């Protein structure tokens, strides 16, 4: 083959000058990242592929990851640090040097600290996640308890539900289970490596139950698909418990020896007959019975939870507690093939290795600092979440200045549209003295900031990740950072020089800090750098089963059907110690008057395969899969009865606002539900929610069920 | 000798994620804003029958037919059959943008770029010759796209079917 042909086909080799560099994709961040083969010629990326040796993606990519080249070279990249020169939000900026930008931020934070205290400075991380241990240490070393992340709307509430029941969360052991119950997740569109793992397990005979209001590739592969109305998961789980207890197919030995509160739970679940379950959830009683029997009798069974769909409800934590209790009821907690507990290693992932990440992140105890944002309203978050502030309460504290004023907001990958009543949140920013956002692209949030810092993509820097299969990777930079952009970690370390100059670890630099964190594992930066595509651990740590026998990490020391932590707040509505089912605050059941005018359930943010939040909305490769004109997915029967056709203009309204979008009728959606993807600048669905439409335990917004109406714009079709 | 290989779509595995379409554009430097189109296109088809709905996804592309209507219809000989790979390729210099191939192709495959030159899948012949898979196949996470001898693909499918049938029969004994 001629060199010209090989060049045209982008074949790597000495003759073409094309090199393959190993990197990681962090466009989405499910914590288990896909390995990338980056084809580079003359310092420029010409092609992206998945790394075949990477145990998670095994050479494959999703549409978003395959679009990395467009992502890296998009014209909307921020090229230099910027300082606002006009009024806030006027989108008038001037380029400044890195030193100047960092000095302005340093001086702003230090002066806020001396006048109002360190707690007046908020440190926030959106995507990505790799720099979080360093950002959290920066906040703590500076003295601020207000380190918070997008986990204020994702993942954490699910972990809280598990911690309240089990003490230590357990993940689904898919490789060894006989029955996987996927509760509101569609990995075929969100984390393809996990979808491929399900395919492998199904081909060896694993049974699968999928609970999801939508119809997805995951539900189409299921033995049983249960389709509850959004927000009724708790009632469904309690009805399944009713069957499992009533038919005496629960694990009586486990329940009597290792659990607390069973008798009250049994009594409560006894009221949730499958027939009542059908009334409450819309799932046929026969389906509830069949799923309960399969889960309890298939052998080893486990629950695969999702990070946000179930907990994006005003009753989310209680609902997920009821779901996880099914694993307890059947003795499937902390056993092979069940919800198995592995201690976290690094960046939320149980990677079969030991690190001192937690020690690194917490140079000073929280007890020496002021109370975190959300402290008074969310005592359970403060007790069982991982030490973060609850960012959903920032708007209220900004507006009231109580219990103390907030003055600086130092954001990395921050997007104000993550908050309910997003425009209201933006208005509250007038009470801040300094707003900083670090991002790859000039986003709407950057345009509202005072200082904007250009971050580079994951292909232009290195990051450390570990994986559940005992694989660890310190990726390499495939190309030099474009323009004046820098790695977020470098920015954090330069801020540390200004905010906490005496911090003994920051002073030694990033590499030394990674070595320090890794030291219990025996791994070093040097060794990892010699394996830029990643490596399997030589001695992966395999923890034993049934660690709860030595005492579960709950107040009772047992698995709790009745939460001793929630018991302390029993008089507050929503904090019941049993997994009490309450319909979503704005649902046909709980708000029948409102439902007369707003008859549809509004469900926002359910994943589509080509989008991840708003991160790739600007790429033409992505638009070629689904238009960049925001569209709502609605059921075809609903569309027909409202005389709505494909691509008609549609108005979605709640009592709090309205947006205009296109109509996309699809059988994916159940009747009576409207699915609207989030994060669109021209149709921001989060404006349609009140700021305090929150779960009382976790503070998570109820994005997956409110009430709305939809109408065709432009009058009736003739 | 290069064995005849084709891109086969396993309809039971495709989830409509679109990775193949983007990987194709990345490989071939196709940019929709400049009038380009991926050589793989994603369809989501829905069949409601009163008992619920079936949603079927499909990644569609050129079939590289043996007896190719597009090749026969092309008046300038721009479409030709590559002897080694047996892919149907387009010589851009000879294409006059007459769209005869569009009229002839029963699958709706031919598309036209900003210069009105026919644009279609080239079976990644350069990659294949270098021992690599076509870009779309390489990206697919679920084995929905396979590049192999069609008989090999059928062997796999038949053995899966045989396994299922034999297993079900064995359980009845």
């Amino acid at each position: 083959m001629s060199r010209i042909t090989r060049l045209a086909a982008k074949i790597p080799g000495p003759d073409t000058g094309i090199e393959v560099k190993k990197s990681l994709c962090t466009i989405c961040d499910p914590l288990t990242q896909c390995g990338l083969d980056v084809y580079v010629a003359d310092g420029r990326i010409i092609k992206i592929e998945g790394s075949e040796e990477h145990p998670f993606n095994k050479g494959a990519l999703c549409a978003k990851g395959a679009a990395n080249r467009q992502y890296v070279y998009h014209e909307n990249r921020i090229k230099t640090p910027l300082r606002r020169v006009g009024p806030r939000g006027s989108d008038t900026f001037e380029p400044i040097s890195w030193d100047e930008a960092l000095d302005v931020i340093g001086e702003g934070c230090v002066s806020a600290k001396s006048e109002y205290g360190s707690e007046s400075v908020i440190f926030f991380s959106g995507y990505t996640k790799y720099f979080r241990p360093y950002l959290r240490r920066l906040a703590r070393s500076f003295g601020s308890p207000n380190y918070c992340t997008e986990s204020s709307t994702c993942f954490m509430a699910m972990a809280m539900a598990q911690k309240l029941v089990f003490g230590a969360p357990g993940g689904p052991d898919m490789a060894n289970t006989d029955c996987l119950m996927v509760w509101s997740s569609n990995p075929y569109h969100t984390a393809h490596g996990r979808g491929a793992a399900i395919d492998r397990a199904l081909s060896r005979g694993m049974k699968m139950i999928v609970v999801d209001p939508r119809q997805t590739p995951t539900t189409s592969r299921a033995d049983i698909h249960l389709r509850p109305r959004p927000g009724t998961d708790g009632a469904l789980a309690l009805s399944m418990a009713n069957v499992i207890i009533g038919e005496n197919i629960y694990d009586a030995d486990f329940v009597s020896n290792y659990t607390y509160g069973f008798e009250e739970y049994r009594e409560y679940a006894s009221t949730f007959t499958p027939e009542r379950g059908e009334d409450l959830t819309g799932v046929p009683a026969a389906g509830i019975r069949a799923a309960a029997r399969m889960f309890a009798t298939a052998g080893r069974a486990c629950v695969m939870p999702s990070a946000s769909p179930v907990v994006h409800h005003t009753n989310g934590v209680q609902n997920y507690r009821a779901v996880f209790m099914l694993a307890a009821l059947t003795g499937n907690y902390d056993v092979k093939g069940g919800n198995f507990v592995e201690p976290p290693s690094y960046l939320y992932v149980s990677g079969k290795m030991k690190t001192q990440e937690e020690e690194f992140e917490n140079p000073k105890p929280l007890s020496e600092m002021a109370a975190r944002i959300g402290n008074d309203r969310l005592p359970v978050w403060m007790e069982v979440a991982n030490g973060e502030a609850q960012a959903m309460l920032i708007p209220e504290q900004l507006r009231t200045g109580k219990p103390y004023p907030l003055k600086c907001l130092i954001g990395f990958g921050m997007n104000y549209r993550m908050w309910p009543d997003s425009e209201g949140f933006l208005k509250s920013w007038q009470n801040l003295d300094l707003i900083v956002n670090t991002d790859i692209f000039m986003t709407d949030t950057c345009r509202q900031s005072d200082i904007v810092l250009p971050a580079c993509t994951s292909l232009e820097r290195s990051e450390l990740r570990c994986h559940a299969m005992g694989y660890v990777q310190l990726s390499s930079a495939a190309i030099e950072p474009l323009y004046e952009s820098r790695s977020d970690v470098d920015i954090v370390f330069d801020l540390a020089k200004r905010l906490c100059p005496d911090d003994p670890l920051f002073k030694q630099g990033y590499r030394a800090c990674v070595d320090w964190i890794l030291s219990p594992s025996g791994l070093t930066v040097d060794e990892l750098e010699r394996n830029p595509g990643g490596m399997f651990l030589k001695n992966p740590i395999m923890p034993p089963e049934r660690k709860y026998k030595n005492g579960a990490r709950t107040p009772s020391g047992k698995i709790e059907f009745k939460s001793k932590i929630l018991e302390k707040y029993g008089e507050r509505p929503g904090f019941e110690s049993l997994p009490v089912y309450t319909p979503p605050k704005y649902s046909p059941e709980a708000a029948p008057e409102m439902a007369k005018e707003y008859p549809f359930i509004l469900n926002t943010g359910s994943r589509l395969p080509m989008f991840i939040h708003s991160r790739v909305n600007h790429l033409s490769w992505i638009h070629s899969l689904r238009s960049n004109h925001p569209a709502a997915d609605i059921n075809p029967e609903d569309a027909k009865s409202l005389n709505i056709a494909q691509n008609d203009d549609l108005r979605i309204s709640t009592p709090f606002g309205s947006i205009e979008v296109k109509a996309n009728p699809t059988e994916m959606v159940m009747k009576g539900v409207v699915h609207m993807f989030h994060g669109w600048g021209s149709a921001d669905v989060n404006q349609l929610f009140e700021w305090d439409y929150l779960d009382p335990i976790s503070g998570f917004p109820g994005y997956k069920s409110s009430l709305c109406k939809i109408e065709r714009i432009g009058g009736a079709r003739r | 000798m290069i064995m005849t290989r084709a891109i086969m779509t396993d309809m039971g595995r495709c989830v409509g994620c679109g990775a193949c379409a983007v990987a194709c554009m990345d490989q071939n430097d196709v940019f929709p804003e400049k009038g380009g189109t991926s050589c793989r296109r994603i369809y989501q088809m829905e069949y409601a029958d009163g008992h619920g709905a079936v949603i079927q996804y499909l990644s569609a592309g050129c079939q590289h037919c043996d007896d190719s209507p597009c090749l026969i219809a092309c008046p300038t000989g721009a479409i030709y059959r590559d002897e080694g790979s047996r892919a149907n390729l387009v010589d851009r210099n000879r294409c006059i943008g007459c769209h005869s191939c569009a009229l002839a192709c029963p699958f709706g495959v031919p598309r036209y770029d900003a210069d009105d030159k026919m644009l279609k899948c080239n079976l990644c012949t350069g990659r294949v010759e270098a021992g690599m898979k076509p870009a779309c196949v390489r990206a697919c996470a679920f084995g929905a796209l396979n590049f192999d001898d069609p008989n090999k693909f059928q062997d796999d499918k038949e053995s899966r079917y045989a396994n299922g049938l034999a297993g079900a029969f064995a359980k009845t004994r």
Side-chain angles (χ1 to χ4, degrees):
Chain A
M1 200 178 6
S2 75
R3 181 173 167 273
I4 303 288
T5 315
R6 284 169 57 84
L7 261 176
K10 305 181 180 177
I11 311 298
D15 59 330
T16 56
I18 299 169
E19 269 188 276
V20 175
K21 308 256 190 166
K22 298 290 175 184
S23 185
L24 273 178
C25 179
T26 60
I27 286 181
C28 88
D29 205 324
L31 303 172
T32 299
Q33 309 306 122
C34 293
L36 293 182
D37 283 4
V38 184
Y39 289 55
V40 178
D42 299 327
R44 204 175 155 83
I45 299 166
I46 58 164
K47 164 81 185 145
I48 303 282
E49 261 167 19
S51 301
E52 286 190 310
E53 73 278 16
H54 198 283
F56 181 66
N57 60 312
K58 300 179 193 294
L61 287 176
C62 70
K64 297 152 281 193
N68 254 300
R69 176 159 66 112
Q70 246 192 4
Y71 190 76
V72 170
Y73 293 113
H74 196 273
E75 62 190 12
N76 198 24
R77 285 281 301 259
I78 307 165
K79 297 181 177 63
T80 67
L82 299 169
R83 174 167 50 203
R84 177 174 59 79
V85 288
R88 266 196 194 146
S90 63
D91 198 13
T92 43
F93 291 90
E94 63 177 7
I96 52 172
S97 71
W98 272 105
D99 277 339
E100 218 176 339
L102 293 165
D103 285 345
V104 170
I105 300 166
E107 282 154 22
C109 292
V110 168
S111 101
K113 179 177 183 167
S114 63
E115 200 168 338
Y116 303 99
S118 310
E119 62 273 19
S120 66
V121 180
I122 310 165
F123 295 84
F124 180 86
S125 162
Y127 270 26
T128 71
K129 302 175 184 172
Y130 83 100
F131 54 82
R132 287 188 183 173
Y134 314 95
L135 184 63
R136 188 201 284 245
R137 184 179 177 96
L138 177 71
R140 294 291 188 262
S141 214
F142 178 70
S144 175
N146 290 322
Y147 163 79
C148 43
T149 71
E150 49 69 63
S151 296
S152 290
T153 63
C154 189
F155 169 74
M156 192 62 73
M158 181 274 286
M160 287 172 71
Q162 285 219 51
K163 283 185 184 176
L164 289 170
V165 177
F166 300 129
D173 180 11
M174 213 197 308
N176 296 302
T177 197
D178 300 304
C179 178
L180 180 70
M181 183 154 66
V182 181
W183 204 293
S184 262
S185 180
N186 176 24
Y188 291 88
H189 284 170
T190 56
H192 59 87
R194 217 163 292 149
I198 292 179
D199 274 352
R200 288 194 293 277
L202 287 171
S203 68
R204 68 164 168 77
M206 181 187 78
K207 299 277 182 218
M208 183 160 75
I209 302 163
V210 181
V211 180
D212 196 328
R214 289 198 305 175
Q215 195 165 330
T216 70
T218 314
T219 66
S220 74
R221 284 157 166 80
D223 295 279
I224 298 175
H225 174 201
L226 305 180
R227 260 187 126 168
R229 281 191 293 275
T232 64
D233 308 78
L236 180 58
L238 285 160
S239 298
M240 289 177 67
N242 177 291
V243 175
I244 293 170
I245 297 169
E247 299 188 1
N248 208 19
I249 46 177
Y250 65 97
D251 187 334
D253 175 64
F254 178 85
V255 164
S256 65
N257 287 312
Y258 304 109
T259 69
Y260 167 77
F262 178 68
E263 283 311 315
E264 285 144 292
Y265 168 69
R266 174 214 287 267
E267 197 178 320
Y268 183 61
S270 73
T271 64
F272 285 83
T273 61
E275 284 67 29
R276 183 170 172 232
E278 178 172 337
D279 278 352
L280 293 169
T281 68
V283 177
I288 296 173
R289 286 198 172 87
R293 287 169 190 154
M294 181 181 279
F295 188 75
T297 62
R300 279 293 165 220
C302 59
V303 178
M304 176 188 274
S306 55
S308 66
V310 175
V311 284
H312 273 181
H313 291 288
T314 56
N315 54 2
V317 170
Q318 293 289 36
N319 281 354
Y320 241 160
R321 281 180 69 219
V323 171
F324 290 119
M325 284 177 195
L326 297 173
L329 193 57
T330 53
N332 280 307
Y333 174 64
D334 205 14
V335 288
K336 287 278 153 66
N339 282 79
F340 187 60
V341 180
E342 293 192 49
S345 307
Y346 185 71
L347 267 176
Y348 316 91
V349 174
S350 302
K352 299 187 167 51
M353 59 189 252
K354 194 168 164 17
T355 70
Q356 34 185 12
E357 180 195 32
E358 205 179 325
E359 293 80 349
F360 180 83
E361 286 179 337
N362 298 294
K364 284 181 199 167
L366 272 174
S367 55
E368 289 176 12
M369 297 172 215
R372 284 170 279 164
I373 295 165
N375 183 70
D376 296 341
R377 184 165 163 157
L378 301 168
V380 179
W381 172 284
M382 298 302 144
E383 198 166 334
V384 304
N386 69 344
E388 296 183 11
Q390 205 339 337
M392 292 300 103
L393 275 295
I394 295 175
E396 190 192 29
Q397 190 161 340
L398 276 175
R399 281 189 283 263
T400 63
K402 302 273 167 42
Y404 53 79
L406 299 168
K407 290 295 164 187
C408 303
L409 178 52
I410 312 299
F412 286 75
M414 178 169 62
N415 182 349
Y416 75 87
R417 293 205 171 93
M418 189 182 89
W419 278 257
D421 180 26
S422 40
E423 296 302 320
F425 178 39
L426 202 53
K427 285 197 193 97
S428 73
W429 285 17
Q430 65 190 332
N431 296 329
L432 285 163
D433 292 342
L434 176 66
I435 303 160
V436 178
N437 201 21
T438 308
D439 212 314
I440 298 167
F441 305 105
M442 194 66 187
T443 62
D444 288 350
T445 304
C446 291
R447 292 193 178 91
Q448 299 289 341
S449 303
D450 303 325
I451 299 282
V452 177
L453 303 178
C456 62
T457 68
S458 64
L459 284 68
E460 300 156 70
R461 54 165 174 76
S462 153
E463 72 177 72
L464 176 66
R465 295 276 182 167
C466 64
H467 299 270
M469 45 293 270
Y471 194 77
V472 58
Q473 182 176 9
L474 184 67
S475 63
S476 58
I479 56 167
E480 290 298 306
L482 296 182
Y483 320 110
E484 286 182 38
S485 69
R486 299 179 71 195
S487 128
D488 316 73
V489 155
D490 287 348
I491 299 169
V492 168
F493 275 72
D494 271 359
L495 283 175
K497 287 178 192 156
R498 291 157 172 89
L499 301 188
C500 44
D502 299 326
D503 184 295
L505 281 173
F506 274 134
K507 273 200 279 199
Q508 296 174 42
Y510 175 55
R511 285 174 67 97
C513 286
V514 175
D515 269 332
W516 192 89
I517 291 169
L518 283 174
S519 57
S521 71
L523 292 164
T524 61
V525 170
D526 279 343
E527 185 182 9
L528 290 169
E529 277 182 345
R530 287 194 294 273
N531 299 280
M535 55 191 273
F536 282 101
L537 298 171
K538 289 180 196 87
N539 300 302
I541 299 169
M542 295 298 288
E545 292 185 287
R546 302 177 205 274
K547 295 175 280 296
Y548 55 80
K549 284 190 170 179
N550 308 321
R553 298 218 298 266
T554 57
S556 66
K558 297 192 165 193
I559 311 304
E560 296 190 352
F561 288 113
K562 187 168 178 248
S563 167
K564 285 211 166 221
I565 290 174
L566 288 170
E567 221 166 329
K568 291 189 281 188
Y569 309 101
E571 71 287 356
R572 296 192 188 201
F575 283 67
E576 298 84 359
S577 57
L578 285 169
V580 167
Y581 174 69
T582 317
K585 185 177 167 193
Y586 297 145
S587 59
E589 295 75 23
E593 278 307 307
M594 183 179 172
K596 282 180 192 159
E597 196 183 343
Y598 299 94
F600 284 90
I601 294 172
L602 175 62
N603 181 303
T604 79
S606 286
R607 293 288 187 265
L608 294 168
M610 67 296 288
F611 298 139
I612 174 71
H613 307 307
S614 53
R615 285 171 70 75
V616 291
N617 290 10
H618 52 307
L619 308 184
S620 68
W621 284 345
I622 296 300
H623 306 161
S624 73
L625 300 172
R626 179 162 166 138
S627 159
N628 59 341
H629 199 112
D633 291 348
I634 57 175
N635 180 274
E637 267 188 64
D638 289 334
K640 204 171 161 192
S641 67
L642 292 167
N643 203 13
I644 293 166
Q646 181 77 44
N647 289 332
D648 274 0
D649 292 315
L650 203 66
R651 185 178 295 112
I652 306 175
S653 318
T654 71
F656 317 105
S658 70
I659 55 172
E660 295 183 2
V661 300
K662 295 283 183 193
N664 183 45
T666 168
E667 295 286 353
M668 289 183 86
V669 177
M670 74 191 290
K671 208 166 170 297
V673 182
V674 174
H675 281 270
M676 183 61 215
F677 202 79
H678 57 298
W680 294 105
S682 56
D684 177 3
V685 73
N686 290 357
Q687 277 173 246
L688 309 189
F689 291 80
E690 297 162 290
W691 79 269
D692 64 347
Y693 191 62
L694 304 174
D695 176 291
I697 299 175
S698 67
F700 269 40
Y703 284 144
K704 298 290 185 285
S705 58
S706 182
L707 290 171
C708 73
K709 65 178 172 188
I710 53 174
E711 59 203 321
R712 194 172 162 274
I713 300 171
R717 177 188 302 282
R718 271 179 289 172
Chain B
M1 183 200 141
I2 297 171
M3 193 174 53
T4 303
R5 288 187 287 178
I7 295 173
M8 304 288 286
T9 308
D10 185 336
M11 302 276 282
R13 293 178 188 262
C14 181
V15 302
C17 72
C20 51
V22 176
C24 173
M25 292 188 277
D26 189 25
Q27 175 66 37
N28 295 303
D29 297 326
V30 170
F31 296 97
E33 67 272 31
K34 294 178 187 163
T37 314
S38 176
C39 299
R40 291 215 80 83
R41 289 170 289 270
I42 312 303
Y43 291 88
Q44 178 172 334
M45 290 145 305
E46 306 187 338
Y47 307 94
D49 65 356
H51 300 286
V54 174
I55 299 175
Q56 179 64 55
Y57 300 94
L58 171 68
S59 161
C62 177
Q63 317 274 356
H64 295 277
C65 317
D66 257 337
D67 185 11
S68 307
C70 65
L71 189 151
I72 296 162
C74 180
T76 64
I79 304 176
Y80 65 99
R81 194 150 181 89
D82 181 60
E83 284 310 311
S85 62
R86 299 183 70 78
N88 293 326
L89 304 179
V90 185
D91 181 346
R92 277 180 59 87
N93 296 324
R94 287 191 177 198
C95 177
I96 57 170
C98 69
H99 305 186
S100 298
C101 48
L103 292 173
C105 175
F107 304 111
V109 166
R111 300 296 155 99
Y112 303 89
D113 64 15
D115 301 326
D116 214 11
K117 303 283 188 184
M118 202 264 250
L119 181 75
K120 68 179 272 303
C121 169
N122 60 15
L123 215 57
C124 281
T125 43
R127 284 174 61 95
V128 170
E129 212 174 311
M132 298 159 77
K133 291 176 188 167
C136 57
V137 175
R138 174 66 193 275
C140 181
F142 305 108
L145 293 184
N146 296 277
F147 183 65
D148 216 325
D149 179 343
N151 284 329
K152 165 79 170 47
F153 183 80
Q154 290 302 94
D155 284 350
D156 291 349
K157 197 168 160 186
E158 194 173 55
S159 77
R160 281 204 301 276
Y161 167 74
N163 254 326
L165 184 67
F169 182 72
K171 277 180 199 160
T172 66
R173 292 173 65 187

